[in-house]
């Protein structure tokens, strides 16, 4: 693996965020979408384990992404799963109140990776999040998780339905289980905010 992650801190309030330095990539999705598994597949088990520690599931967990020489290249922000609670127009209702300020104001936030289960139609909460990110002018990439569960036609149909429902040009299918799509996702992360979703 070229990159590994080093846990920085868990924040439950904006004044606990690490000092803004490297570009940040935020990971968002409903609970159970496969976020921990995906982070695990991207940068190693430690991330998932730390993020799932009791008490940290409702925090923003920050990780430095280090290259093979141990240099800090990026920061990953693992945001709390937005669960099945409704995301209101101001997205913060029923979700940690500091998540919206993070998304709205974090100066180093370069890209939001929005995870949606490829096997489930997009939910209103997913749609509201995407609309909110659009309104806020944030760069985002929608990633369809657990793509290994679908094959052939069904995968194509599901991706098409996602693109249509959310009015997107591109959705990246991935599987933490098989590693499918990981190379493409890393390429998207490396491209940062240089391309539009
Ligand atoms: P989180 O709540 O978003 O962090 O989700 P987890 O990573 O804990 O995954 C939720 C469930 O989905 C677990 O039972 C995982 O084994 C399963 N899962 C996660 N990623 C994949 C995947 O790529 N393929 C399949 N088939 N199952 C997955």
């Amino acid at each position: 693996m070229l990159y590994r992650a080093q846990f920085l801190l868990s924040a439950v309030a904006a004044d606990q965020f690490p000092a803004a330095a490297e570009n940040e990539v935020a990971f968002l999705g409903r609970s159970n979408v496969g976020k921990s598994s995906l982070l695990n597949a991207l940068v190693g088990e430690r991330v998932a384990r730390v993020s799932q520690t009791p008490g940290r599931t409702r925090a923003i967990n920050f990780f430095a992404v280090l290259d093979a020489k141990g240099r800090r290249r990026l920061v990953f922000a693992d945001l709390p799963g937005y669960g099945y609670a409704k995301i209101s127009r101001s997205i913060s209702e029923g979700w940690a109140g500091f998540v919206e300020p993070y998304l709205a104001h974090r100066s180093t936030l370069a890209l939001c990776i929005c995870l949606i289960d490829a096997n489930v139609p997009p939910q209103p909460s997913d749609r509201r999040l995407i609309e909110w990110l659009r309104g806020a002018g944030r760069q985002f990439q929608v990633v369809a998780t657990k793509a290994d569960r679908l094959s052939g036609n069904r995968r194509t149909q599901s991706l098409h339905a996602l693109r249509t429902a959310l009015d997107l040009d591109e959705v990246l299918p991935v599987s933490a289980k098989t590693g499918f799509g990981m190379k493409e996702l890393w390429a998207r992360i490396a491209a940062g905010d240089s391309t539009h979703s």
Side-chain angles (χ1 to χ4, degrees), residues 59-138:
I60 300 181
N61 296 300
F62 291 91
F63 299 86
V65 178
L66 310 177
D67 66 16
K69 291 186 175 161
R71 286 178 303 216
R72 270 168 82 150
R73 304 303 294 260
L74 282 171
V75 168
F76 278 0
D78 182 10
L79 272 63
Y82 44 87
Y84 304 96
K86 282 187 179 167
I87 295 187
S88 70
R89 225 170 269 279
S90 70
I91 71 165
S92 60
E93 191 186 304
W95 202 24
F98 61 99
V99 172
E100 183 175 337
Y102 170 83
L103 291 173
H105 303 306
R106 183 71 169 166
S107 61
T108 43
L109 177 58
L111 179 66
C112 296
I113 302 290
C114 302
L115 309 183
I116 301 183
D117 193 327
N119 304 267
V120 180
Q123 302 296 302
S125 52
D126 297 318
R127 185 194 306 273
R128 273 192 291 271
L129 174 65
I130 302 294
E131 281 168 5
W132 189 92
L133 291 172
R134 276 202 178 104
R138 283 297 191 191

Side-chain angles (χ1 to χ4, degrees), residues 30-37 52 146 148-149 175-177:
R30 298 196 319 139
S31 306
N32 219 35
V33 71
K35 185 156 56 67
S36 307
S37 303
Q52 291 197 327
K146 310 184 193 179
D148 58 279
R149 288 196 184 151
S175 166
K177 197 172 172 183

